[in-house]
């Protein structure tokens, strides 16, 4: 068998990414602290309610729900998404909504219907690494633009558009952005910049792919209008149940112009998405106090954020800076320009804590002085201990570099 494997030779598609999975570790030691995992807190999953909902889905609707088209669940989920979207100012007809395997499939579908090889995509720098992989696989030309404490530098977007028009060079087919509680940056796009960005999309005729995965996890009560509400005809909106109910459901959704949704449906070979999972979720949401649940999540994650922020200040002092996020899962640490966080990644893991080094979030070779920490998955005690261990690894690296 080993000889057969050694002689195996086959040419895989060149567009398949060669990079491994990012944001996780293979360490299974029970005392290891995974500050790399962008996971929801497992003890906050509505297990009892989901258990009852799954039983109802089987006993009441199982014979239909297990068919290709499912039972009534998918229709109920569409209606729920419509009603919940209204809370955030988004008005959409059912034919403008597509349920997906999480919001990441929405990124993939948008990429596939809009891009041909060589088309241009503009992204934030840093950006969500799975989105970057999707754009690379599509053989797109990727251009990145920095963020600051008010989100994407829309002034630089405008300057680039003006220059592209003047020089007759390509403008993007779409711009991918996570405007609210950015992953990994934790920043939120200001209202002024939101308004200007959609004006530019309309004037220069490109789409905006708005990834809104974390917006329900609001720590401050401050409200920001979705980009979709500002320009429905040119924004493709993505959201997910992964951060609020449970990522294992693998259910998210896209809201967009019907013509966009129709094109996406053509790529959904094999019928509707996870119809039995939709049936279970529909049973849950029919009687579930979703807003109370979300409020409880936000209170919990805010406390987690505060514990991590204090631990960082205590352990690192003025060796790092960071923006305190108004929501979401992450704190994005910036070290001095001379620091390369990849160089103490393995030592930190050996000591008992994992994180994601900054370069993983950039299209170009940059971001070496950053790292991302997730405060959602582990306990408060683990956060404090993990940050202390991380600081030990950093200072060992810094002292070695200085000697």
């Amino acid at each position: 068998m080993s000889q057969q494997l050694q002689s195996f030779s086959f040419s895989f598609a060149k567009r398949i990414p060669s990079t491994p999975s990012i944001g996780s570790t293979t360490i299974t030691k029970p005392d290891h602290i995974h500050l790399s995992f962008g996971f929801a807190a497992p003890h906050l999953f509505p297990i009892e309610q989901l258990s009852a909902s799954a039983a109802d889905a089987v006993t009441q609707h199982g014979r239909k729900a297990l068919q290709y088209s499912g039972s009534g669940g998918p229709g109920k989920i569409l209606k729920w998404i419509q009603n919940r979207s209204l809370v955030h100012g988004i008005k959409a007809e059912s034919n403008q909504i597509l349920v997906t395997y999480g919001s990441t499939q929405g990124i993939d579908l948008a990429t596939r219907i809009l891009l041909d090889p060589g088309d241009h995509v503009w992204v934030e720098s840093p950006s969500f690494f799975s989105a970057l992989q999707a754009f690379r696989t599509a053989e797109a030309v990727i251009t990145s633009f920095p963020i600051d404490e008010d989100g994407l530098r829309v002034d630089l977007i405008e300057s680039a558009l003006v220059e592209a028009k003047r020089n007759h060079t390509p403008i993007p087919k779409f711009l991918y952005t996570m405007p609210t509680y950015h992953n990994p940056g934790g920043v939120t796009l200001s209202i002024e910049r939101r308004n200007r960005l959609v004006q530019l999309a309309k004037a220069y005729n490109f789409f905006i792919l708005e990834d809104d995965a974390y917006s329900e996890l609001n720590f401050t009560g401050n409200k920001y209008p979705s980009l979709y509400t500002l320009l429905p005809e040119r924004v493709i909106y993505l959201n997910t149940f992964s951060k609020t109910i449970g990522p294992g459901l693998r259910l998210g959704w896209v809201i967009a112009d019907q013509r966009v949704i129709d094109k996406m449906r053509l790529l959904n070979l094999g019928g509707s998405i996870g119809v039995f999972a939709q049936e279970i979720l529909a049973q849950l949401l029919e009687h579930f106090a979703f807003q109370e649940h979300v409020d409880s999540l936000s209170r919990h994650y805010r406390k987690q954020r505060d514990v991590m922020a204090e631990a960082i200040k205590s352990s690192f002092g003025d060796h790092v800076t960071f923006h305190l996020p108004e929501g979401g899962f992450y704190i994005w640490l910036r070290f001095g320009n001379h620091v390369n966080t990849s160089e103490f990644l393995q030592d930190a893991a050996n000591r008992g804590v994992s994180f994601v080094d900054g370069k993983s979030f950039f299209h170009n070779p940059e971001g070496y002085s950053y790292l991302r920490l997730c405060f959602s998955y582990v306990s408060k005690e683990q956060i404090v201990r993990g940050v202390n261990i991380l600081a030990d690894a950093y200072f060992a690296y810094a002292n070695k570099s200085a000697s």
Side-chain angles (χ1 to χ4, degrees), residues 113 168 179 240 250 336 359 372 383 388:
I113 68 166
H168 304 287
T240 179
R250 303 312 305 135
K359 65 180 176 60
R372 190 193 76 176
I383 288 175
N388 287 336

Side-chain angles (χ1 to χ4, degrees), residues 87-100:
V87 174
H88 302 288
I90 297 175
K91 299 178 182 179
E93 300 299 325
S94 59
N95 59 13
Q96 294 178 262
I97 304 170
L98 179 67
V99 174
T100 58

Side-chain angles (χ1 to χ4, degrees), residues 353-371:
V353 65
S354 55
F355 64 89
V356 185
D357 50 347
K359 65 180 176 60
S360 301
F361 299 93
F362 292 82
H363 172 61
N364 298 314
E366 55 181 315
Y368 297 101
S369 60
Y370 292 87
L371 65 81

Side-chain angles (χ1 to χ4, degrees), residues 200-218:
L200 293 172
K202 185 174 183 178
Y204 288 89
N205 194 31
F206 61 88
F207 276 95
I208 297 173
L209 185 56
E210 178 182 15
D211 190 342
D212 204 30
Y214 296 93
S215 63
E216 291 281 9
L217 306 178
N218 184 335

Side-chain angles (χ1 to χ4, degrees), residues 338 343-344 347 351 392-403:
H338 61 285
E343 294 184 357
F344 57 91
D347 182 44
R351 292 170 183 261
D392 290 341
Y394 161 70
F395 284 113
Y397 158 82
N399 291 334
K400 183 178 179 180
S401 299
S403 62

Side-chain angles (χ1 to χ4, degrees), residues 174-283:
F174 66 83
L175 179 146
Y176 170 75
T177 179
M178 190 174 284
T180 306
Y181 318 143
H182 184 275
N183 174 18
V187 298
T188 295
L189 189 64
S190 69
I191 293 176
E192 179 183 2
R193 292 187 186 183
R194 288 171 191 251
N195 288 324
R196 187 56 186 152
L197 183 59
V198 297
Q199 290 169 1
L200 293 172
K202 185 174 183 178
Y204 288 89
N205 194 31
F206 61 88
F207 276 95
I208 297 173
L209 185 56
E210 178 182 15
D211 190 342
D212 204 30
Y214 296 93
S215 63
E216 291 281 9
L217 306 178
N218 184 335
F219 303 160
T220 66
N222 295 335
K223 300 291 186 180
Y224 299 91
S226 162
L227 299 175
Y228 180 88
T229 65
L230 303 175
L231 190 67
E233 65 272 21
R234 273 290 173 266
V235 176
I236 301 172
Y237 176 86
L238 311 174
N239 211 320
T240 179
F241 290 105
S242 294
K243 317 306 176 189
T244 54
I245 302 297
L249 288 169
R250 303 312 305 135
L251 291 175
W253 65 93
V254 180
I255 298 177
D257 184 280
Q258 184 184 345
R259 291 166 293 183
V260 171
I261 297 298
D262 288 345
K263 292 292 186 183
M264 288 183 172
R265 289 187 198 281
L266 293 175
L267 299 179
N268 262 354
L269 307 178
S272 300
I273 298 297
V275 292
F276 188 65
Q278 289 194 59
E279 189 66 47
I280 295 173
L281 185 58
Q283 294 292 321

